[in-house]
Amino acid sequence: MSSENSFDIVSKLDLQEMNNAINQAEKEIATRFDFKGSKSSITLEKEELVIVSDDDFKLQNVLDILQSKMAKRGISLKNLEYGKVEPAAGSTVRQRIKVKQGIDQDNAKKINVLIRDSKLKVKSQIQGDQIRVTGKSKDDLQQVMALLRKADLSLDLQFINFR
């Protein structure tokens, strides 16, 4: 048994659950009376959601439906980066929403500073779009996890490979 314990901090979105949430939202839009005859749709293109609707009000309603379906499926809304509403073809409006995967450099540095300031006996290092935290005590590692869960970060974190 090794004397060093570690875990990885990642920020990933389950794209299969995202697809399920989109399908549920589209079914609800198809059956709702206030969307009858509407050109509302939600599509997932690679790492981007595209929502199209007749006007700003309906677009906001589509977004609310999608967010409620995502919340029910356990998908964090923190991983979405909303673009501005823009006019589209056929007198409709469109909004692009970027799906964030991985931890960007700015947030990785913030997380490293939080861990360093906690004065726990652990080391953290940035590895691409994730962070590896190592330490001798599993209790210290669990305290780091609790600290990061309480921290008000702009992305949803998961902790994997706890050894």
Short mmCIF file of all heavy atoms in Angstrom, two decimals, residues 77-146:
data_model
loop_
_atom_site.label_atom_id
_atom_site.label_comp_id
_atom_site.label_asym_id
_atom_site.label_seq_id
_atom_site.Cartn_x
_atom_site.Cartn_y
_atom_site.Cartn_z
N LEU A 77 -26.31 23.51 -13.71
CA LEU A 77 -26.47 24.65 -14.63
C LEU A 77 -25.22 25.53 -14.65
O LEU A 77 -25.11 26.42 -15.48
CB LEU A 77 -27.69 25.47 -14.22
CG LEU A 77 -29.03 24.73 -14.23
CD1 LEU A 77 -30.14 25.64 -13.74
CD2 LEU A 77 -29.35 24.19 -15.61
N LYS A 78 -24.27 25.27 -13.74
CA LYS A 78 -23.04 26.06 -13.71
C LYS A 78 -22.17 25.81 -14.93
O LYS A 78 -21.31 26.61 -15.25
CB LYS A 78 -22.22 25.72 -12.45
CG LYS A 78 -22.78 26.27 -11.18
CD LYS A 78 -21.85 25.92 -10.04
CE LYS A 78 -22.27 26.55 -8.75
NZ LYS A 78 -21.34 26.21 -7.66
N ASN A 79 -22.36 24.66 -15.59
CA ASN A 79 -21.53 24.32 -16.73
C ASN A 79 -22.02 24.93 -18.04
O ASN A 79 -21.53 24.59 -19.10
CB ASN A 79 -21.44 22.80 -16.89
CG ASN A 79 -20.56 22.17 -15.83
OD1 ASN A 79 -20.28 22.78 -14.81
ND2 ASN A 79 -20.10 20.97 -16.06
N LEU A 80 -23.01 25.82 -17.96
CA LEU A 80 -23.53 26.46 -19.16
C LEU A 80 -23.08 27.91 -19.21
O LEU A 80 -23.12 28.62 -18.21
CB LEU A 80 -25.07 26.40 -19.18
CG LEU A 80 -25.69 25.01 -19.15
CD1 LEU A 80 -27.20 25.12 -19.15
CD2 LEU A 80 -25.21 24.15 -20.30
N GLU A 81 -22.65 28.35 -20.39
CA GLU A 81 -22.24 29.73 -20.59
C GLU A 81 -23.16 30.33 -21.66
O GLU A 81 -23.08 29.96 -22.83
CB GLU A 81 -20.79 29.76 -21.06
CG GLU A 81 -20.14 31.10 -21.01
CD GLU A 81 -18.66 30.97 -21.35
OE1 GLU A 81 -17.90 30.46 -20.51
OE2 GLU A 81 -18.29 31.39 -22.45
N TYR A 82 -24.04 31.23 -21.24
CA TYR A 82 -25.09 31.75 -22.12
C TYR A 82 -24.58 32.82 -23.05
O TYR A 82 -23.93 33.77 -22.62
CB TYR A 82 -26.25 32.30 -21.27
CG TYR A 82 -26.88 31.26 -20.40
CD1 TYR A 82 -26.47 31.09 -19.08
CD2 TYR A 82 -27.88 30.43 -20.89
CE1 TYR A 82 -27.03 30.11 -18.28
CE2 TYR A 82 -28.45 29.45 -20.10
CZ TYR A 82 -28.02 29.29 -18.79
OH TYR A 82 -28.58 28.31 -18.02
N GLY A 83 -24.90 32.66 -24.34
CA GLY A 83 -24.58 33.69 -25.33
C GLY A 83 -25.74 34.67 -25.39
O GLY A 83 -26.76 34.51 -24.72
N LYS A 84 -25.59 35.70 -26.23
CA LYS A 84 -26.68 36.68 -26.32
C LYS A 84 -27.74 36.20 -27.31
O LYS A 84 -27.45 35.41 -28.21
CB LYS A 84 -26.14 38.06 -26.68
CG LYS A 84 -25.49 38.18 -28.04
CD LYS A 84 -25.03 39.62 -28.25
CE LYS A 84 -24.61 39.89 -29.65
NZ LYS A 84 -23.43 39.21 -30.10
N VAL A 85 -28.94 36.70 -27.13
CA VAL A 85 -30.05 36.36 -28.02
C VAL A 85 -29.87 37.14 -29.31
O VAL A 85 -29.68 38.35 -29.29
CB VAL A 85 -31.41 36.70 -27.35
CG1 VAL A 85 -32.56 36.41 -28.29
CG2 VAL A 85 -31.57 35.93 -26.04
N GLU A 86 -29.94 36.43 -30.44
CA GLU A 86 -29.72 37.07 -31.73
C GLU A 86 -30.85 36.71 -32.69
O GLU A 86 -31.47 35.66 -32.55
CB GLU A 86 -28.37 36.63 -32.30
CG GLU A 86 -28.23 35.14 -32.42
CD GLU A 86 -26.79 34.67 -32.63
OE1 GLU A 86 -25.88 35.28 -32.06
OE2 GLU A 86 -26.63 33.68 -33.35
N PRO A 87 -31.16 37.59 -33.64
CA PRO A 87 -32.21 37.27 -34.62
C PRO A 87 -31.75 36.15 -35.54
O PRO A 87 -30.57 36.05 -35.87
CB PRO A 87 -32.42 38.57 -35.38
CG PRO A 87 -31.29 39.45 -35.01
CD PRO A 87 -30.63 38.93 -33.79
N ALA A 88 -32.70 35.29 -35.95
CA ALA A 88 -32.39 34.18 -36.85
C ALA A 88 -33.35 34.22 -38.04
O ALA A 88 -34.20 35.10 -38.14
CB ALA A 88 -32.51 32.86 -36.10
N ALA A 89 -33.23 33.26 -38.93
CA ALA A 89 -34.05 33.24 -40.15
C ALA A 89 -35.52 33.01 -39.84
O ALA A 89 -35.87 32.39 -38.83
CB ALA A 89 -33.54 32.15 -41.07
N GLY A 90 -36.38 33.50 -40.69
CA GLY A 90 -37.82 33.26 -40.55
C GLY A 90 -38.45 33.95 -39.36
O GLY A 90 -39.30 33.38 -38.69
N SER A 91 -38.03 35.14 -39.06
CA SER A 91 -38.53 35.94 -37.92
C SER A 91 -38.50 35.17 -36.60
O SER A 91 -39.44 35.19 -35.83
CB SER A 91 -39.93 36.50 -38.21
OG SER A 91 -40.88 35.45 -38.20
N THR A 92 -37.40 34.46 -36.36
CA THR A 92 -37.21 33.76 -35.08
C THR A 92 -35.99 34.36 -34.37
O THR A 92 -35.26 35.16 -34.95
CB THR A 92 -36.98 32.25 -35.31
OG1 THR A 92 -35.83 32.08 -36.14
CG2 THR A 92 -38.19 31.59 -35.94
N VAL A 93 -35.79 33.94 -33.13
CA VAL A 93 -34.60 34.34 -32.38
C VAL A 93 -33.85 33.08 -31.96
O VAL A 93 -34.44 32.02 -31.79
CB VAL A 93 -34.96 35.20 -31.13
CG1 VAL A 93 -35.46 36.56 -31.55
CG2 VAL A 93 -35.94 34.51 -30.24
N ARG A 94 -32.53 33.25 -31.78
CA ARG A 94 -31.67 32.12 -31.45
C ARG A 94 -30.76 32.50 -30.30
O ARG A 94 -30.32 33.64 -30.21
CB ARG A 94 -30.83 31.75 -32.68
CG ARG A 94 -29.80 30.69 -32.42
CD ARG A 94 -28.80 30.49 -33.55
NE ARG A 94 -29.37 30.57 -34.88
CZ ARG A 94 -28.93 31.42 -35.82
NH1 ARG A 94 -27.96 32.27 -35.57
NH2 ARG A 94 -29.48 31.43 -37.02
N GLN A 95 -30.49 31.52 -29.43
CA GLN A 95 -29.50 31.73 -28.38
C GLN A 95 -28.58 30.52 -28.36
O GLN A 95 -29.02 29.37 -28.36
CB GLN A 95 -30.17 31.89 -27.01
CG GLN A 95 -29.16 32.21 -25.92
CD GLN A 95 -29.81 32.56 -24.60
OE1 GLN A 95 -30.97 32.24 -24.35
NE2 GLN A 95 -29.05 33.20 -23.74
N ARG A 96 -27.28 30.80 -28.35
CA ARG A 96 -26.27 29.73 -28.27
C ARG A 96 -25.78 29.66 -26.83
O ARG A 96 -25.48 30.68 -26.22
CB ARG A 96 -25.12 30.00 -29.22
CG ARG A 96 -25.52 29.97 -30.68
CD ARG A 96 -24.31 30.12 -31.59
NE ARG A 96 -24.70 30.08 -32.98
CZ ARG A 96 -24.89 28.96 -33.68
NH1 ARG A 96 -24.73 27.79 -33.08
NH2 ARG A 96 -25.24 29.00 -34.95
N ILE A 97 -25.71 28.43 -26.34
CA ILE A 97 -25.24 28.20 -24.97
C ILE A 97 -24.08 27.24 -25.03
O ILE A 97 -24.22 26.10 -25.48
CB ILE A 97 -26.37 27.62 -24.09
CG1 ILE A 97 -27.57 28.57 -24.09
CG2 ILE A 97 -25.87 27.36 -22.69
CD1 ILE A 97 -28.81 27.99 -23.47
N LYS A 98 -22.91 27.71 -24.60
CA LYS A 98 -21.71 26.88 -24.64
C LYS A 98 -21.72 25.94 -23.44
O LYS A 98 -21.97 26.36 -22.31
CB LYS A 98 -20.47 27.78 -24.61
CG LYS A 98 -19.18 27.07 -24.87
CD LYS A 98 -18.06 28.09 -25.05
CE LYS A 98 -16.75 27.44 -25.33
NZ LYS A 98 -16.11 26.88 -24.15
N VAL A 99 -21.44 24.66 -23.69
CA VAL A 99 -21.34 23.67 -22.62
C VAL A 99 -19.87 23.57 -22.22
O VAL A 99 -19.03 23.20 -23.03
CB VAL A 99 -21.87 22.29 -23.10
CG1 VAL A 99 -21.71 21.25 -22.01
CG2 VAL A 99 -23.31 22.40 -23.55
N LYS A 100 -19.57 23.94 -20.97
CA LYS A 100 -18.19 23.95 -20.51
C LYS A 100 -17.78 22.56 -20.01
O LYS A 100 -18.48 21.97 -19.20
CB LYS A 100 -18.00 24.97 -19.38
CG LYS A 100 -18.19 26.41 -19.82
CD LYS A 100 -17.77 27.38 -18.75
CE LYS A 100 -18.85 27.54 -17.71
NZ LYS A 100 -18.57 28.59 -16.73
N GLN A 101 -16.66 22.08 -20.52
CA GLN A 101 -16.08 20.80 -20.08
C GLN A 101 -14.66 21.09 -19.61
O GLN A 101 -13.93 21.83 -20.25
CB GLN A 101 -16.02 19.80 -21.24
CG GLN A 101 -17.37 19.39 -21.78
CD GLN A 101 -17.98 18.22 -21.02
OE1 GLN A 101 -17.85 18.12 -19.81
NE2 GLN A 101 -18.64 17.36 -21.73
N GLY A 102 -14.27 20.50 -18.51
CA GLY A 102 -12.91 20.68 -18.01
C GLY A 102 -12.77 21.97 -17.20
O GLY A 102 -13.65 22.82 -17.19
N ILE A 103 -11.65 22.07 -16.52
CA ILE A 103 -11.37 23.24 -15.67
C ILE A 103 -10.42 24.15 -16.43
O ILE A 103 -9.32 23.73 -16.79
CB ILE A 103 -10.74 22.80 -14.34
CG1 ILE A 103 -11.67 21.83 -13.61
CG2 ILE A 103 -10.43 24.00 -13.46
CD1 ILE A 103 -11.07 21.19 -12.37
N ASP A 104 -10.84 25.40 -16.69
CA ASP A 104 -9.97 26.33 -17.40
C ASP A 104 -8.86 26.83 -16.47
O ASP A 104 -8.92 26.64 -15.26
CB ASP A 104 -10.77 27.50 -18.00
CG ASP A 104 -11.51 28.30 -16.96
OD1 ASP A 104 -11.77 27.75 -15.86
OD2 ASP A 104 -11.84 29.46 -17.22
N GLN A 105 -7.84 27.46 -17.03
CA GLN A 105 -6.66 27.87 -16.27
C GLN A 105 -6.98 28.82 -15.12
O GLN A 105 -6.43 28.67 -14.03
CB GLN A 105 -5.62 28.52 -17.21
CG GLN A 105 -4.93 27.54 -18.12
CD GLN A 105 -4.12 26.50 -17.36
OE1 GLN A 105 -3.40 26.83 -16.42
NE2 GLN A 105 -4.26 25.24 -17.74
N ASP A 106 -7.87 29.79 -15.35
CA ASP A 106 -8.20 30.76 -14.29
C ASP A 106 -8.80 30.06 -13.08
O ASP A 106 -8.40 30.30 -11.94
CB ASP A 106 -9.17 31.82 -14.81
CG ASP A 106 -8.53 32.70 -15.88
OD1 ASP A 106 -7.28 32.79 -15.91
OD2 ASP A 106 -9.28 33.30 -16.67
N ASN A 107 -9.80 29.19 -13.33
CA ASN A 107 -10.44 28.47 -12.23
C ASN A 107 -9.48 27.49 -11.58
O ASN A 107 -9.51 27.28 -10.37
CB ASN A 107 -11.70 27.75 -12.70
CG ASN A 107 -12.86 28.70 -12.85
OD1 ASN A 107 -13.11 29.53 -11.99
ND2 ASN A 107 -13.59 28.59 -13.95
N ALA A 108 -8.60 26.87 -12.36
CA ALA A 108 -7.61 25.95 -11.79
C ALA A 108 -6.69 26.69 -10.82
O ALA A 108 -6.38 26.18 -9.74
CB ALA A 108 -6.81 25.30 -12.92
N LYS A 109 -6.29 27.90 -11.20
CA LYS A 109 -5.43 28.68 -10.31
C LYS A 109 -6.17 29.07 -9.03
O LYS A 109 -5.61 29.03 -7.93
CB LYS A 109 -4.92 29.94 -11.03
CG LYS A 109 -3.87 29.63 -12.08
CD LYS A 109 -3.47 30.85 -12.85
CE LYS A 109 -2.52 30.48 -13.98
NZ LYS A 109 -2.24 31.59 -14.87
N LYS A 110 -7.47 29.45 -9.17
CA LYS A 110 -8.27 29.78 -7.98
C LYS A 110 -8.37 28.59 -7.04
O LYS A 110 -8.24 28.74 -5.82
CB LYS A 110 -9.69 30.20 -8.39
CG LYS A 110 -9.81 31.58 -8.95
CD LYS A 110 -11.27 31.87 -9.27
CE LYS A 110 -11.43 33.07 -10.17
NZ LYS A 110 -12.79 33.22 -10.65
N ILE A 111 -8.60 27.40 -7.62
CA ILE A 111 -8.72 26.18 -6.81
C ILE A 111 -7.40 25.89 -6.11
O ILE A 111 -7.38 25.57 -4.91
CB ILE A 111 -9.18 25.00 -7.68
CG1 ILE A 111 -10.62 25.22 -8.15
CG2 ILE A 111 -9.05 23.68 -6.93
CD1 ILE A 111 -11.09 24.27 -9.22
N ASN A 112 -6.28 26.03 -6.82
CA ASN A 112 -4.97 25.81 -6.21
C ASN A 112 -4.73 26.77 -5.05
O ASN A 112 -4.22 26.38 -4.00
CB ASN A 112 -3.86 25.98 -7.25
CG ASN A 112 -3.47 24.67 -7.90
OD1 ASN A 112 -3.81 23.60 -7.40
ND2 ASN A 112 -2.77 24.75 -8.99
N VAL A 113 -5.11 28.04 -5.22
CA VAL A 113 -4.93 29.03 -4.16
C VAL A 113 -5.81 28.67 -2.96
O VAL A 113 -5.36 28.74 -1.80
CB VAL A 113 -5.25 30.46 -4.68
CG1 VAL A 113 -5.37 31.45 -3.54
CG2 VAL A 113 -4.19 30.90 -5.67
N LEU A 114 -7.05 28.26 -3.21
CA LEU A 114 -7.94 27.84 -2.11
C LEU A 114 -7.34 26.69 -1.32
O LEU A 114 -7.35 26.69 -0.09
CB LEU A 114 -9.30 27.40 -2.66
CG LEU A 114 -10.34 28.46 -2.94
CD1 LEU A 114 -11.53 27.86 -3.67
CD2 LEU A 114 -10.80 29.09 -1.64
N ILE A 115 -6.79 25.70 -2.04
CA ILE A 115 -6.20 24.53 -1.38
C ILE A 115 -4.96 24.95 -0.59
O ILE A 115 -4.77 24.54 0.55
CB ILE A 115 -5.86 23.44 -2.42
CG1 ILE A 115 -7.15 22.86 -3.02
CG2 ILE A 115 -5.03 22.33 -1.79
CD1 ILE A 115 -6.94 21.96 -4.21
N ARG A 116 -4.13 25.81 -1.19
CA ARG A 116 -2.91 26.25 -0.52
C ARG A 116 -3.24 27.06 0.74
O ARG A 116 -2.60 26.92 1.78
CB ARG A 116 -2.07 27.09 -1.49
CG ARG A 116 -0.62 27.17 -1.08
CD ARG A 116 0.27 27.87 -2.10
NE ARG A 116 0.01 27.54 -3.49
CZ ARG A 116 -0.42 28.42 -4.39
NH1 ARG A 116 -0.63 29.68 -4.07
NH2 ARG A 116 -0.63 28.04 -5.64
N ASP A 117 -4.26 27.94 0.65
CA ASP A 117 -4.63 28.78 1.79
C ASP A 117 -5.28 27.99 2.92
O ASP A 117 -5.39 28.50 4.04
CB ASP A 117 -5.58 29.90 1.34
CG ASP A 117 -4.87 30.92 0.47
OD1 ASP A 117 -3.61 30.90 0.41
OD2 ASP A 117 -5.57 31.75 -0.15
N SER A 118 -5.74 26.76 2.64
CA SER A 118 -6.41 25.97 3.68
C SER A 118 -5.42 25.45 4.73
O SER A 118 -5.82 24.97 5.77
CB SER A 118 -7.15 24.79 3.05
OG SER A 118 -6.22 23.85 2.56
N LYS A 119 -4.12 25.52 4.45
CA LYS A 119 -3.05 25.08 5.34
C LYS A 119 -3.11 23.58 5.64
O LYS A 119 -2.56 23.11 6.63
CB LYS A 119 -3.08 25.87 6.68
CG LYS A 119 -2.96 27.37 6.53
CD LYS A 119 -1.55 27.79 6.24
CE LYS A 119 -1.37 29.27 6.39
NZ LYS A 119 -1.28 30.00 5.15
N LEU A 120 -3.79 22.81 4.78
CA LEU A 120 -3.80 21.36 4.92
C LEU A 120 -2.52 20.80 4.29
O LEU A 120 -1.96 21.41 3.40
CB LEU A 120 -5.03 20.76 4.24
CG LEU A 120 -6.37 21.11 4.88
CD1 LEU A 120 -7.52 20.71 3.96
CD2 LEU A 120 -6.52 20.42 6.22
N LYS A 121 -2.09 19.63 4.77
CA LYS A 121 -0.85 19.05 4.27
C LYS A 121 -1.11 18.24 3.00
O LYS A 121 -1.03 17.02 2.99
CB LYS A 121 -0.21 18.17 5.35
CG LYS A 121 0.27 18.96 6.54
CD LYS A 121 0.94 18.10 7.55
CE LYS A 121 1.41 18.94 8.71
NZ LYS A 121 1.99 18.13 9.77
N VAL A 122 -1.44 18.98 1.93
CA VAL A 122 -1.68 18.35 0.63
C VAL A 122 -0.98 19.17 -0.45
O VAL A 122 -0.67 20.34 -0.25
CB VAL A 122 -3.19 18.25 0.29
CG1 VAL A 122 -3.91 17.33 1.25
CG2 VAL A 122 -3.85 19.61 0.30
N LYS A 123 -0.73 18.51 -1.59
CA LYS A 123 -0.15 19.19 -2.75
C LYS A 123 -1.17 19.11 -3.87
O LYS A 123 -1.84 18.10 -4.04
CB LYS A 123 1.15 18.51 -3.18
CG LYS A 123 2.28 18.63 -2.19
CD LYS A 123 3.56 18.04 -2.73
CE LYS A 123 3.45 16.55 -2.88
NZ LYS A 123 4.25 15.71 -2.05
N SER A 124 -1.25 20.18 -4.65
CA SER A 124 -2.15 20.16 -5.80
C SER A 124 -1.38 20.60 -7.03
O SER A 124 -0.56 21.51 -6.96
CB SER A 124 -3.36 21.07 -5.56
OG SER A 124 -2.95 22.40 -5.40
N GLN A 125 -1.66 19.94 -8.15
CA GLN A 125 -0.99 20.33 -9.39
C GLN A 125 -1.99 20.26 -10.54
O GLN A 125 -2.83 19.38 -10.59
CB GLN A 125 0.23 19.46 -9.65
CG GLN A 125 -0.08 17.99 -9.81
CD GLN A 125 1.16 17.14 -9.69
OE1 GLN A 125 1.72 17.01 -8.62
NE2 GLN A 125 1.59 16.56 -10.79
N ILE A 126 -1.86 21.22 -11.44
CA ILE A 126 -2.75 21.31 -12.60
C ILE A 126 -2.23 20.34 -13.66
O ILE A 126 -1.05 20.36 -13.99
CB ILE A 126 -2.79 22.74 -13.15
CG1 ILE A 126 -3.29 23.71 -12.08
CG2 ILE A 126 -3.66 22.82 -14.40
CD1 ILE A 126 -3.16 25.16 -12.45
N GLN A 127 -3.14 19.49 -14.16
CA GLN A 127 -2.79 18.55 -15.23
C GLN A 127 -3.79 18.73 -16.37
O GLN A 127 -4.82 18.08 -16.39
CB GLN A 127 -2.83 17.11 -14.72
CG GLN A 127 -1.85 16.83 -13.61
CD GLN A 127 -1.96 15.40 -13.10
OE1 GLN A 127 -3.00 14.79 -13.16
NE2 GLN A 127 -0.86 14.90 -12.58
N GLY A 128 -3.48 19.64 -17.26
CA GLY A 128 -4.40 19.90 -18.38
C GLY A 128 -5.67 20.55 -17.89
O GLY A 128 -5.65 21.64 -17.33
N ASP A 129 -6.81 19.85 -18.06
CA ASP A 129 -8.10 20.41 -17.64
C ASP A 129 -8.60 19.79 -16.34
O ASP A 129 -9.78 19.82 -16.04
CB ASP A 129 -9.14 20.28 -18.76
CG ASP A 129 -9.46 18.83 -19.09
OD1 ASP A 129 -8.74 17.93 -18.59
OD2 ASP A 129 -10.43 18.61 -19.83
N GLN A 130 -7.68 19.20 -15.57
CA GLN A 130 -8.05 18.67 -14.26
C GLN A 130 -6.93 18.96 -13.26
O GLN A 130 -5.85 19.39 -13.63
CB GLN A 130 -8.34 17.17 -14.34
CG GLN A 130 -7.16 16.30 -14.71
CD GLN A 130 -7.57 14.85 -14.86
OE1 GLN A 130 -8.71 14.55 -15.18
NE2 GLN A 130 -6.65 13.95 -14.62
N ILE A 131 -7.22 18.71 -11.98
CA ILE A 131 -6.24 19.00 -10.92
C ILE A 131 -6.07 17.74 -10.09
O ILE A 131 -7.06 17.12 -9.67
CB ILE A 131 -6.72 20.15 -10.03
CG1 ILE A 131 -6.88 21.43 -10.85
CG2 ILE A 131 -5.74 20.39 -8.88
CD1 ILE A 131 -7.52 22.56 -10.09
N ARG A 132 -4.83 17.35 -9.83
CA ARG A 132 -4.55 16.20 -8.98
C ARG A 132 -4.14 16.72 -7.61
O ARG A 132 -3.29 17.59 -7.50
CB ARG A 132 -3.43 15.37 -9.61
CG ARG A 132 -2.73 14.42 -8.70
CD ARG A 132 -3.07 12.95 -8.71
NE ARG A 132 -3.86 12.37 -9.73
CZ ARG A 132 -3.42 11.46 -10.60
NH1 ARG A 132 -2.15 11.11 -10.63
NH2 ARG A 132 -4.25 10.91 -11.46
N VAL A 133 -4.77 16.18 -6.57
CA VAL A 133 -4.46 16.56 -5.19
C VAL A 133 -3.90 15.32 -4.50
O VAL A 133 -4.52 14.25 -4.53
CB VAL A 133 -5.71 17.06 -4.44
CG1 VAL A 133 -5.36 17.46 -3.02
CG2 VAL A 133 -6.33 18.24 -5.16
N THR A 134 -2.71 15.44 -3.89
CA THR A 134 -2.09 14.32 -3.20
C THR A 134 -1.76 14.71 -1.77
O THR A 134 -1.49 15.87 -1.47
CB THR A 134 -0.77 13.87 -3.90
OG1 THR A 134 0.10 15.00 -4.00
CG2 THR A 134 -1.04 13.32 -5.28
N GLY A 135 -1.78 13.71 -0.89
CA GLY A 135 -1.45 13.93 0.51
C GLY A 135 -1.34 12.61 1.23
O GLY A 135 -1.81 11.58 0.75
N LYS A 136 -0.72 12.63 2.41
CA LYS A 136 -0.55 11.39 3.18
C LYS A 136 -1.85 10.96 3.85
O LYS A 136 -2.17 9.79 3.93
CB LYS A 136 0.55 11.57 4.22
CG LYS A 136 1.94 11.65 3.63
CD LYS A 136 2.98 11.46 4.71
CE LYS A 136 4.39 11.64 4.23
NZ LYS A 136 4.75 10.91 3.05
N SER A 137 -2.63 11.92 4.34
CA SER A 137 -3.83 11.62 5.11
C SER A 137 -5.09 11.69 4.24
O SER A 137 -5.34 12.69 3.57
CB SER A 137 -3.95 12.61 6.27
OG SER A 137 -5.22 12.55 6.84
N LYS A 138 -5.90 10.62 4.28
CA LYS A 138 -7.17 10.64 3.55
C LYS A 138 -8.11 11.67 4.14
O LYS A 138 -8.94 12.24 3.43
CB LYS A 138 -7.83 9.25 3.58
CG LYS A 138 -7.20 8.27 2.64
CD LYS A 138 -8.01 6.99 2.56
CE LYS A 138 -7.39 6.07 1.53
NZ LYS A 138 -8.16 4.84 1.35
N ASP A 139 -7.99 11.91 5.44
CA ASP A 139 -8.84 12.91 6.10
C ASP A 139 -8.57 14.30 5.53
O ASP A 139 -9.50 15.07 5.30
CB ASP A 139 -8.60 12.91 7.61
CG ASP A 139 -9.12 11.66 8.29
OD1 ASP A 139 -9.99 10.99 7.68
OD2 ASP A 139 -8.66 11.36 9.40
N ASP A 140 -7.30 14.63 5.29
CA ASP A 140 -6.95 15.92 4.70
C ASP A 140 -7.56 16.05 3.30
O ASP A 140 -8.09 17.10 2.93
CB ASP A 140 -5.43 16.10 4.61
CG ASP A 140 -4.80 16.42 5.96
OD1 ASP A 140 -5.56 16.71 6.91
OD2 ASP A 140 -3.55 16.36 6.06
N LEU A 141 -7.50 14.95 2.53
CA LEU A 141 -8.07 14.98 1.18
C LEU A 141 -9.58 15.20 1.24
O LEU A 141 -10.14 15.95 0.44
CB LEU A 141 -7.74 13.69 0.43
CG LEU A 141 -6.26 13.46 0.12
CD1 LEU A 141 -6.08 12.13 -0.60
CD2 LEU A 141 -5.67 14.58 -0.69
N GLN A 142 -10.24 14.56 2.20
CA GLN A 142 -11.68 14.75 2.34
C GLN A 142 -12.02 16.16 2.79
O GLN A 142 -13.04 16.72 2.39
CB GLN A 142 -12.26 13.70 3.29
CG GLN A 142 -12.27 12.32 2.66
CD GLN A 142 -12.69 11.22 3.60
OE1 GLN A 142 -12.58 11.36 4.81
NE2 GLN A 142 -13.17 10.13 3.03
N GLN A 143 -11.14 16.77 3.60
CA GLN A 143 -11.35 18.16 4.01
C GLN A 143 -11.22 19.09 2.80
O GLN A 143 -11.95 20.08 2.68
CB GLN A 143 -10.36 18.56 5.10
CG GLN A 143 -10.70 17.98 6.45
CD GLN A 143 -9.68 18.38 7.51
OE1 GLN A 143 -8.55 18.76 7.20
NE2 GLN A 143 -10.09 18.29 8.76
N VAL A 144 -10.30 18.78 1.88
CA VAL A 144 -10.15 19.57 0.65
C VAL A 144 -11.43 19.48 -0.18
O VAL A 144 -11.93 20.48 -0.69
CB VAL A 144 -8.92 19.10 -0.17
CG1 VAL A 144 -8.92 19.73 -1.56
CG2 VAL A 144 -7.64 19.45 0.56
N MET A 145 -11.98 18.25 -0.29
CA MET A 145 -13.24 18.07 -1.03
C MET A 145 -14.36 18.90 -0.42
O MET A 145 -15.09 19.59 -1.13
CB MET A 145 -13.65 16.59 -1.04
CG MET A 145 -12.82 15.72 -1.92
SD MET A 145 -13.49 14.05 -1.83
CE MET A 145 -12.16 13.13 -2.53
N ALA A 146 -14.48 18.86 0.90
CA ALA A 146 -15.52 19.63 1.58
C ALA A 146 -15.32 21.13 1.37
O ALA A 146 -16.28 21.87 1.13
CB ALA A 146 -15.52 19.29 3.07
#
